[in-house]
Amino acid sequence: MAYSLGLVGHPISHSLSPWIHQNLLKKAVLEGTYTLYNIPVESFSREIEKLKGIQLDGFNVTVPYKQAIMRHLDEVDSTAKRVEAVNTVACRNGKWIGYNTDGSGYIRSLRDAYPDIFLNKSIRIILIGAGGAARGIYDALVQNGFYYIDIANRTTDHAVQIKELGNTFTETTIYSLDKVKNGLDGYDLIIQTTSVGMKPNDNEIIMVPEKVTESSIVSDIVYQPICTRMLQIAKRKKASVHYGHTMLLYQAQHAFEIWTGKQITVEDLKEPLQKQLEGR
Ligand code: ATR
């Protein structure tokens, strides 16, 4: 069988998902296509309903439709329901089923880079930012049994909503950005989840990680550039770093698994993906 896959979003012409999924198909020795469905906001509902007439096996959903897609689905899995966003749809027996692989992709990429931190669930973690990405990552950290997950955000109310995803064991303190920048040495894992620092604004930084030390891991979900200003400073301070493009690969790996049932290794795609990104 040939898989019919794709991506729904707007704008998506620069997306790397076709490149990643073509590679996964090749590695899995499967036939298939991955088509871009670039749908303008004003015709979203109409175009999505039209897609139901096409025999798709599955598709990814990206900005700005991760919430809007939900009302067009037949079923939504528990993670996507909790984080209220869908980035992967499986089409099975005429039904559209929504999933979210952003948080799981983040966790997989972290486990690949730093497996040891999963041996100690009481490490101290802080998320910077409280948007959709932070929501997915916070939920995945909670589901993976981490207890101490603080959140720092410009608008603290947004962080309060994310904290509600915690369970009875989770301990979360919410900070303003200013409050936290001098206390970063208290954290084992610092996760930058906003788009601040992304090209073409790669000279921007949400906070200068003055107080990071060599015992911390600094993670940035921005992947263009691969080494953001935040990560450059972290490296200078001898902290360990975790790159955003690896999350991109692992969320695709999980989506591909949902569609095909095959878990394909992606470690060997990290470097080629970096080259693709650097070539843009
Ligand atoms: P995504 O869904 O990709 O995570 P988002 O929902 O727009 O994106 O979330 C953006 C996050 O980045 C938010 O936490 C936002 O802070 P607010 O909650 O205060 O809006 C944060 N953010 C974006 N630009 C920022 C900036 N220039 N300075 C500080 N925080 C910023």
Side-chain angles (χ1 to χ4, degrees):
M1 101 178 237
Y3 281 90
S4 185
L5 308 171
L7 171 67
V8 166
H10 184 70
I12 48 174
S13 56
H14 293 293
S15 170
L16 281 155
S17 292
W19 183 90
I20 297 173
H21 285 287
Q22 295 295 354
N23 272 285
L24 293 178
L25 283 164
K26 201 154 87 189
K27 287 185 63 153
V29 201
L30 291 172
E31 295 286 323
T33 53
Y34 190 94
T35 308
L36 293 181
Y37 298 100
N38 190 356
I39 305 177
V41 175
E42 57 281 9
S43 55
F44 178 70
S45 290
R46 199 173 57 240
E47 294 297 324
I48 276 295
E49 286 304 316
K50 265 202 230 161
L51 271 191
K52 291 193 172 167
I54 300 177
Q55 289 299 310
L56 285 170
D57 295 293
F59 58 94
N60 288 125
V61 183
T62 189
V63 183
Y65 302 132
K66 289 185 183 183
Q67 277 97 35
I69 192 69
M70 294 180 82
R71 76 182 88 95
H72 297 275
L73 303 175
D74 300 293
E75 288 169 33
V76 179
D77 105 312
S78 55
T79 303
K81 225 177 251 171
R82 272 196 316 274
V83 301
E84 295 165 14
V86 161
N87 80 330
T88 300
V89 175
C91 314
R92 290 190 202 115
N93 309 320
K95 281 192 172 169
W96 279 13
I97 306 155
Y99 298 86
N100 193 310
T101 70
D102 287 330
S104 58
Y106 181 80
I107 292 288
R108 286 179 184 204
S109 69
L110 192 63
R111 197 190 292 276
D112 168 50
Y114 298 104
D116 287 356
I117 64 173
F118 286 82
L119 302 174
N120 176 8
K121 297 295 168 69
S122 54
I123 60 166
R124 304 201 74 97
I125 304 174
I126 187 159
L127 297 185
I128 303 171
R135 197 172 165 80
I137 292 171
Y138 183 91
D139 180 69
L141 291 168
V142 170
Q143 296 298 318
N144 275 271
F146 290 99
Y147 307 125
Y148 300 112
I149 319 166
D150 291 346
I151 309 172
N153 196 43
R154 182 175 58 184
T155 314
T156 47
D157 276 0
H158 294 163
V160 171
Q161 288 162 26
I162 293 183
K163 183 180 171 174
E164 285 167 9
L165 291 166
N167 59 30
T168 47
F169 305 107
T170 323
E171 284 191 24
T172 295
T173 306
I174 293 166
Y175 296 102
S176 64
L177 293 175
D178 264 1
K179 265 261 163 66
V180 94
K181 70 177 176 221
N182 287 320
L184 284 177
D185 50 341
Y187 294 97
D188 303 296
L189 174 60
I190 298 147
I191 311 173
Q192 198 299 111
T193 71
T194 76
S195 55
V196 177
M198 192 193 290
K199 270 185 191 169
N201 303 316
D202 39 348
N203 60 338
E204 288 181 1
I205 186 164
I206 194 155
M207 72 173 71
V208 177
E210 267 312 322
K211 290 271 175 78
V212 294
T213 66
E214 58 190 20
S215 63
S216 322
I217 300 168
V218 180
S219 174
D220 196 333
I221 70 158
V222 169
Y223 54 82
Q224 238 169 347
I226 298 271
C227 196
T228 57
R229 255 193 85 195
M230 178 82 130
L231 294 188
Q232 285 170 26
I233 295 173
K235 274 181 161 181
R236 235 178 281 143
K237 306 246 170 204
K238 308 260 185 303
S240 302
V241 297
H242 173 240
Y243 295 105
H245 71 290
T246 61
M247 173 183 174
L248 196 65
L249 273 181
Y250 281 93
Q251 61 81 20
Q253 180 197 54
H254 189 188
F256 192 83
E257 208 171 297
I258 289 167
W259 298 327
T260 67
K262 292 189 193 267
Q263 187 173 42
I264 307 302
T265 54
V266 294
E267 287 75 8
D268 57 329
L269 294 177
K270 279 189 279 187
E271 238 183 82
L273 177 61
Q274 180 169 346
K275 290 217 171 82
Q276 288 284 320
L277 285 161
E278 284 165 352
R280 280 166 186 242

